[in-house]
Amino acid sequence: MSQDKPKGADVNAAAVLLEDKKKQIRDEWSAVLSSLAESRDKIAFSRLYEYFAPRVKAYIIRFGMSPASAEELTQESMLAVWRKAHLYNRSKASASTWIFTLARNQCIDRLRREKAVEYELPEEEADPDQRHYGEHAVVAKRMEDAIAQLPEAQAQVLYLSYYEGKSHSEIAEQLGIPLGSVKSRLRLAFSKLKAHWGEDSEN
Amino acid sequence: MALLVESHLEMCKQCTEHVHTSNRIGGDLLTKIAPVAMQRGSLDQVLGMLDSVDMEVPVENEVAASGEVPQSLAAIIGCDLDKLDWKSMGLGVQQFDLKLGGSGATRLLRIQPGVSVPHHTHSGNELTLILRGSYSDEIGRFQVGDVADLDDQLEHQPIVDTREECICLIATDAPLKFSGLMGKLVQPFIGL
């Protein structure tokens, strides 16, 4: 940290190059995805699958699903990519954003259905704590950086809410603070994150 | 609650933008996440299914409701607000229960101009989305498209503040409690 001042310019240039490269990759996937609607090309689909499926699976595991459910949900999500490709609009979202959104919705639908079953069969309810283990895995570097800059109280509620999927009321109870404080901390944290993430994440 | 949020998103550009930002962050994280290998043969399995799945048809929402009702709500009630089978709760308040099940309740409330709902607090979260008219309470004034986000820390007494009636969609995750004698007396009757 202390001696890298002269190299600062190089580091910046490298960072810019890296950003350019990332944008290029992002655009490439978006192009593949939008061509899929017309071409119905299974080879293009396979490329998307090979890149995105393992990432979607990793995401779903962090969402708190077992690896087996994650495998299945990933396949369902990728099938949804195929079924909905013609609804994809490049100018509105990058391929990764669109696929992320699809996968997340699949997870939420699944959780809702599982919850409904749990109400009917309460005795078979799994230990809810077990769910969270997968989510304690490493968080993407950039998110970590952004979160590291938040005041601890805000980072804490953000973590509990987004990574552990706890409801606002559960967080309030766990931390022994009023529900209103949970909400205002989340609001503050989110606006700071947004500022940190900036507009460079897309377009 | 999800229905209310969805309805609000249809009405609020700012929040829609908020959701887009979150999804972008999610999409960004997806490209950076450490991949977890799929099982062998998973791609072939999916490829084998491609020909047999139906393409998603964009949903043409043919709902018999005017623009006043958000699409996601219209899909459930299926008609205009005025055509609903409102149940009177007395005191110038009518309600229509959506009977969605779950632990909380989702209902529409129709309050006549000038009517003030007795002081009450909430034992959990309560979201209120204004669909018609407006009301004011200790927090401020709420108009069409606005969402009031209330919880157990807050006691309020909303009053419909124009000559127009106020219709709102209310979702709670627990029943609300009335404070004050008047409230306690009416609660059993109006069943809020």
Side-chain angles (χ1 to χ4, degrees):
Chain A
M1 269 289 184
S2 54
Q3 284 139 354
D4 64 2
K5 263 185 196 156
K7 284 195 288 180
D10 288 350
V11 171
N12 277 340
V16 168
L17 270 179
L18 193 67
E19 278 304 314
D20 279 355
K21 179 123 190 291
K22 273 194 249 169
K23 188 171 184 315
Q24 210 183 333
I25 294 174
R26 200 160 52 216
D27 290 348
E28 239 175 80
W29 285 123
S30 303
V32 174
L33 182 56
S34 36
S35 73
L36 199 60
E38 288 260 310
S39 68
R40 306 267 94 202
D41 179 2
K42 287 181 186 165
I43 295 171
F45 177 78
S46 304
R47 280 183 60 207
L48 281 166
Y49 192 95
E50 271 161 1
Y51 179 78
F52 282 105
R55 289 173 165 79
V56 168
K57 186 176 177 183
Y59 163 69
I60 295 177
I61 289 173
R62 280 191 204 176
F63 204 93
M65 301 280 187
S66 70
S69 306
E71 173 91 13
E72 198 185 309
L73 272 169
T74 302
Q75 288 185 321
E76 282 171 23
S77 303
M78 294 309 291
L79 261 179
V81 168
W82 175 259
R83 285 174 46 235
K84 297 183 183 194
H86 58 292
L87 303 176
Y88 172 66
N89 182 345
R90 247 185 113 169
S91 62
K92 282 193 181 158
S94 69
S96 57
T97 296
W98 194 72
I99 293 174
F100 164 79
T101 310
L102 273 185
R104 191 208 42 211
N105 289 345
Q106 295 273 353
C107 287
I108 292 172
D109 287 350
R110 170 68 65 98
L111 281 181
R112 277 196 188 133
R113 258 175 306 174
E114 279 181 2
K115 236 183 191 164
V117 173
E118 270 174 27
Y119 284 127
E120 286 167 28
L121 305 162
E123 70 273 17
E124 290 191 18
E125 194 177 335
D127 177 6
D129 287 337
Q130 228 174 322
R131 281 198 180 161
H132 301 306
Y133 291 155
E135 291 165 274
H136 288 287
V138 196
V139 177
K141 178 82 175 80
R142 188 155 171 213
M143 199 61 171
E144 268 182 2
D145 289 348
I147 291 174
Q149 287 179 11
L150 293 176
E152 201 187 328
Q154 290 171 22
Q156 194 180 28
V157 289
L158 194 79
Y159 188 86
L160 291 170
S161 171
Y162 287 89
Y163 291 100
E164 298 202 354
K166 292 215 161 90
S167 74
H168 295 178
S169 320
E170 285 169 338
I171 298 171
E173 200 170 307
Q174 183 176 340
L175 300 179
I177 57 173
L179 193 56
S181 309
V182 174
K183 289 180 190 168
S184 56
R185 283 181 196 177
L186 272 175
R187 221 169 283 143
L188 284 170
F190 196 81
S191 57
K192 282 185 194 157
L193 269 190
K194 224 166 106 180
H196 180 89
W197 212 270
E199 293 73 37
D200 64 306
S201 60
E202 203 165 310
N203 297 325
Chain B
M1 288 246 170
L3 168 70
L4 190 141
V5 173
E6 215 180 314
S7 300
H8 173 63
L9 283 176
E10 288 179 38
M11 301 167 98
C12 178
K13 265 195 174 155
Q14 205 185 342
C15 290
T16 306
E17 193 44 50
H18 218 73
V19 170
H20 286 327
T21 306
S22 312
N23 286 341
R24 272 212 302 266
I25 293 177
D28 241 30
L29 289 177
L30 193 62
T31 60
K32 295 186 178 89
I33 207 166
V36 175
M38 295 293 285
Q39 275 164 27
R40 199 179 301 163
S42 86
L43 172 60
D44 291 336
Q45 259 175 26
V46 173
L47 283 176
M49 289 151 98
L50 292 187
D51 288 325
S52 54
V53 294
D54 293 328
M55 286 306 119
E56 181 92 357
V57 183
V59 194
E60 290 292 332
N61 266 326
E62 245 185 82
V63 186
S66 63
E68 181 182 38
V69 186
Q71 291 291 319
S72 28
L73 176 61
I76 293 173
I77 60 174
C79 65
D80 277 334
L81 295 174
D82 292 316
K83 291 187 185 133
L84 288 172
D85 183 18
W86 292 94
K87 298 270 184 284
S88 175
M89 300 163 75
L91 303 166
V93 183
Q94 291 179 302
Q95 90 160 327
F96 179 81
D97 191 342
L98 269 62
K99 298 199 170 71
L100 294 183
S103 53
T106 310
R107 63 178 163 254
L108 289 159
L109 225 54
R110 182 185 209 176
I111 308 161
Q112 294 309 306
V115 167
S116 152
V117 178
H119 260 281
H120 59 278
T121 53
H122 314 86
S123 51
N125 292 289
E126 180 186 287
L127 294 178
T128 302
L129 170 68
I130 316 292
L131 300 172
R132 180 189 291 177
S134 63
Y135 79 78
S136 293
D137 67 4
E138 288 83 340
I139 308 171
R141 179 151 194 255
F142 295 88
Q143 293 166 278
V144 171
D146 290 344
V147 170
D149 179 0
L150 302 168
D151 59 47
D152 54 358
Q153 304 301 309
L154 206 122
E155 180 175 315
H156 77 152
Q157 182 170 24
I159 177 162
V160 176
D161 60 1
T162 66
R163 280 191 199 168
E164 196 185 6
E165 62 183 3
C166 179
I167 296 184
C168 41
L169 175 65
I170 301 182
T172 50
D173 55 10
L176 70 169
K177 309 173 283 203
F178 278 91
S179 48
L181 184 59
M182 188 55 199
K184 289 212 171 82
L185 284 175
V186 298
Q187 180 149 35
F189 301 105
I190 66 176
L192 261 173

